[in-house]
Amino acid sequence: MYHILKQKVGDTARVAEDYGGYEITVKDNKEFPWDEVFSLMIESGFQIWIDKKNSHIQIMSKPEVN
């Protein structure tokens, strides 16, 4: 999934693996593929949190535990 996310976001964000989930730091809010990224993560069973860090929107996720 890491490589799919990297391909989708391209240069608009930085993607890092984080404890089984992902941390995505958005660098270009206008060009970032919001709907594609959120759809992919939700359909893959991830929970998502959004925050702002150092003036960048940050998306954090972890696999949903049932």
Side-chain angles (χ1 to χ4, degrees), residues 25-44:
T25 303
V26 180
K27 298 188 285 185
D28 185 344
N29 294 337
K30 291 183 181 180
E31 296 298 320
F32 185 81
W34 297 97
D35 57 338
E36 291 178 48
V37 170
F38 286 133
S39 293
L40 174 65
M41 296 181 88
I42 290 168
E43 290 169 7
S44 297

Side-chain angles (χ1 to χ4, degrees), residues 12 24-29 34 51-58:
T12 66
I24 301 170
T25 303
V26 180
K27 298 188 285 185
D28 185 344
N29 294 337
W34 297 97
D51 202 354
K52 193 167 190 177
K53 185 176 183 181
N54 299 327
S55 76
H56 291 287
I57 293 175
Q58 193 167 47

Side-chain angles (χ1 to χ4, degrees), residues 41 45-49 60-65:
M41 296 181 88
F46 284 86
Q47 294 177 328
I48 301 167
W49 293 267
M60 292 148 298
S61 69
K62 72 170 189 155
E64 190 169 357
V65 179

